Amino acid sequence: MKTARERISALATAARTVAHCLGEIEERHLVEWLEAELGHVDALDAFVPVGSHYSRAYAPENILHIVSGNTPHAALQSLLRGLLLGSRNFWKLPSEGLPEAEIFLKALSEELRMQVEVATELPEEWLSHAQAVVVYGSDETIAHFRKRVRGDQIFEAHGHRVSFGVVMEDPDYESVRLAARDVCLFDQMGCLSPHGIYVCESNGLSARRYAARLAEAMETVCAELPPPVRPPEAAAQILDLRAGYAFRSANDHRVQIWTSPGSDAWTVIYEEEPWFAVSCLHRVVFVKPLPERLADAVAPVSRWLGAIGIWPAEEKYLPVLEGLRPSRICPLGRMQEPPLTWHAEGRGLIENLVRWLDFEGQLV
Amino acid sequence: MTYEELENRLLRFVKAPEEGMFEELALEVFRFQKKNNAAYANYAALFPEPLRVEGIPAVPLRAFKERGLPLKSFEGDPVACFRTSGTTGAVRGEHYFCSLRLYEAAAREGWARAGLPEKVDYCLMPSPQEATDSSLSRMAGWLADEGAFMIRGGRLEVEELENKLRREEKPVTIFGTALAFLHFFEELQARHVKLQLPQGSVAVETGGYKGSGRELEKEAFYAMFAEYLGLPPDAVANEYGMTELSSQFYTRGLGRVHKGAPWVRAFVIDPRTQQEVGDGGTGVLKIVDLANLGSVCALLTQDLAVRRGADFVLLGRDPAALPRGCSRAADEMLTEGRSI
């Protein structure tokens, strides 16, 4: 498959098998992605007009993707990008594997499948052969690979991010189900998973009531999306956090906690204090009244902001987020479904990997 | 029953434990604390009234950090307040005492029951006079003379310690934090020095490397005791304690269980059900410490352990074992203080 247009057709077919993870991806979405980032769908295959000259984008010959297990979405999207670019891909999966990866690989055409090598242990030569290294992981993992890449290799890191929601208006508390879904997907382990929801009380909403409704919605959503089997460390963290907030709620009416009956499936904590609270993840979510200056309340995590899910997603509410620099502001309920054209980390994912060659002569 | 009356009863138990009395005393201590500690009483009201020691509501360690909700089961000013360690700006846990008699008795008797030499010769930590809010230093102060403390002004006196140890002819006992030992070994390594302590010497290490950015397997750490002090693993003990407790658990060598004294009991509980796991099961440590009379006797830790009968094998709270989300977890962002 020599051209991007040929690859687009095959990739759209394969992506259907993982639509539950990547969302619906049609050929036109992939065309739009290339157009948005490279200006033209054929920019990888030919010189295309750019300003007063022509340019052609060259993809890395080999891309090493080091992905984490907590968000299969990121792992799949990274490979999808590499295949769309026409690169050969070294796909380093987490040691426990990734079921979605198997599904996607099986769905690839033979020609595309040949462009992917897969391993759960990183072969040493992959790092040296790759012209681009993409790493998803902890700060420690990123630091480890940053030290190991050469100056001539493109290095793209996707580290920890913190996300949250903001509800500006919702007289009937309809957004609770959307918020619950955003929290529950990927067991809240994704960089786009909300740790908490700020509720604007000046429009007649009550943050405490929102928390109570969210608790009901969490129960419903958890019935549809049962939590995964969590390791004891995670269960210990949930127990510790729950016990800590139970202690506080028993002594302070400004705190209230709702928990899944007889299980640690989900936890909702209402806290009047607006200071950003970091969740221990695994479907533990805070609800707080929206403070006058949100940027001050989230200052401790401001440099790690991922997405802000807002409801309703209307431009008139953007001033509430003044001073914050997430890479995405999206409707609540779509936090886990970034479009392909999302500027993760504030950069274009395709544009970030290509090198341009300009031609200032005449094309025949 | 007044604090003093219950304290005297517990002191007698610590010095001469009676078989089968733990549960009765634990429930007595619980009732006393519920009556005299409003914050704990409010919390305990969320749980059914315990009929057995297992049912005593355990507070999480983070409750010791709640300002305005002191876990004090006594009136008036405390005679001591020990604080958990923490980085600048981090909220530190506070453990108040109206009397140190039980803490001292539990520390001394627990140490002796672990088969450790009565006298500590060197302490790799600051003295209690210097670190007034360190529960560990206070404990070591009961076991060692003032001159034994080798961290002064925040600095480990490496040269002095090396010279003194080199001259020792009789078995010595060294008690220190794991980080201080590690620092000492690294200094010796840099100087190409290896010491050989007299036969029968013992080292007792405590605490982990949390906040130091160090990662070291216990086997590798204990190998350093052999290399730099000439101490085989069986001559090295580990003390598991924390600022929020008044009693300690000990183990010796590698791969062995931690044991407590008769006045403190560890339950390995399933974090999902909060029921005690079966023998060999993994869970979270819940500790009932009768010597914690002035605060709360039942604590919920975040430490994981494997149950071995009434004892446990400590797994700790290894950050590497924790699931790392793309999302940033609380553990990584909010530095929580732990006892040194």
Side-chain angles (χ1 to χ4, degrees), chain A residues 210-220 258-259 266 268:
Chain A
Y210 193 92
R213 297 285 182 89
L214 179 59
E216 291 167 12
M218 290 290 283
E219 183 67 15
T220 308
W258 292 260
T259 58
W266 58 264
V268 177

Coordinates of all heavy atoms in Angstrom, one line a residue, chain A residues 210-220 258-259 266 268:
Chain A
Y210 N -26.0 17.3 43.2 CA -25.4 16.7 42.0 C -24.6 15.5 42.4 O -24.6 14.4 41.7 CB -24.4 17.7 41.3 CG -24.0 17.4 40.0 CD1 -24.7 17.8 38.8 CD2 -22.9 16.5 39.8 CE1 -24.3 17.4 37.6 CE2 -22.5 16.2 38.5 CZ -23.2 16.6 37.4 OH -22.8 16.2 36.1
A211 N -23.9 15.5 43.5 CA -23.1 14.4 44.0 C -24.0 13.2 44.2 O -23.7 12.0 43.9 CB -22.3 14.7 45.2
A212 N -25.2 13.5 44.9 CA -26.1 12.4 45.2 C -26.6 11.8 43.9 O -26.7 10.5 43.8 CB -27.2 12.9 46.0
R213 N -26.9 12.6 42.9 CA -27.5 12.1 41.6 C -26.4 11.3 40.9 O -26.6 10.3 40.2 CB -28.0 13.2 40.8 CG -29.1 14.0 41.4 CD -30.4 13.2 41.3 NE -31.6 13.9 41.8 CZ -32.3 14.7 41.1 NH1 -32.1 15.0 39.8 NH2 -33.3 15.4 41.7
L214 N -25.2 11.9 41.0 CA -24.0 11.2 40.3 C -23.8 9.8 40.9 O -23.5 8.8 40.2 CB -22.7 12.0 40.5 CG -21.5 11.5 39.8 CD1 -21.6 11.3 38.3 CD2 -20.3 12.4 40.1
A215 N -24.0 9.7 42.2 CA -23.9 8.4 42.9 C -24.9 7.4 42.3 O -24.5 6.2 42.0 CB -24.1 8.5 44.4
E216 N -26.1 7.9 42.1 CA -27.1 7.0 41.5 C -26.7 6.6 40.1 O -26.8 5.4 39.7 CB -28.5 7.7 41.4 CG -29.1 7.9 42.8 CD -30.3 8.9 42.7 OE1 -30.8 9.2 41.6 OE2 -30.7 9.3 43.8
A217 N -26.2 7.6 39.4 CA -25.8 7.3 38.0 C -24.6 6.3 37.9 O -24.5 5.5 37.0 CB -25.4 8.6 37.3
M218 N -23.7 6.5 38.9 CA -22.5 5.6 38.9 C -23.0 4.1 39.1 O -22.4 3.2 38.5 CB -21.6 6.0 40.1 CG -20.9 7.3 39.9 SD -19.6 7.3 38.6 CE -18.3 6.4 39.5
E219 N -24.0 3.9 40.0 CA -24.5 2.6 40.2 C -25.1 2.0 38.9 O -24.8 0.9 38.5 CB -25.6 2.7 41.3 CG -26.2 1.3 41.7 CD -25.2 0.4 42.4 OE1 -24.2 0.8 42.8 OE2 -25.5 -0.8 42.4
T220 N -25.8 2.9 38.2 CA -26.4 2.4 36.9 C -25.3 2.1 35.9 O -25.3 1.0 35.2 CB -27.3 3.5 36.3 OG1 -28.2 3.9 37.4 CG2 -28.1 3.0 35.1
W258 N -20.6 8.9 49.3 CA -21.5 7.8 48.8 C -20.7 6.7 48.3 O -19.7 6.9 47.5 CB -22.4 8.3 47.7 CG -23.4 9.4 48.0 CD1 -24.8 9.2 48.3 CD2 -23.2 10.8 48.1 NE1 -25.4 10.4 48.6 CE2 -24.4 11.4 48.5 CE3 -22.1 11.6 48.0 CZ2 -24.6 12.8 48.7 CZ3 -22.2 13.0 48.2 CH2 -23.5 13.5 48.5
T259 N -21.0 5.5 48.6 CA -20.2 4.3 48.1 C -21.1 3.2 47.6 O -22.3 3.1 48.0 CB -19.4 3.7 49.3 OG1 -20.2 3.3 50.3 CG2 -18.4 4.7 49.8
W266 N -17.6 1.9 43.1 CA -17.6 3.3 42.8 C -17.7 4.1 44.1 O -18.2 3.6 45.1 CB -18.7 3.8 41.9 CG -20.1 3.4 42.3 CD1 -20.8 2.3 42.0 CD2 -20.9 4.2 43.3 NE1 -22.0 2.4 42.7 CE2 -22.1 3.5 43.4 CE3 -20.7 5.4 44.0 CZ2 -23.1 3.9 44.3 CZ3 -21.7 5.8 44.8 CH2 -22.9 5.1 45.0
V268 N -18.4 8.3 45.4 CA -18.6 9.7 45.1 C -18.4 10.5 46.4 O -18.9 10.2 47.4 CB -20.0 10.0 44.5 CG1 -20.2 11.5 44.3 CG2 -20.2 9.2 43.2

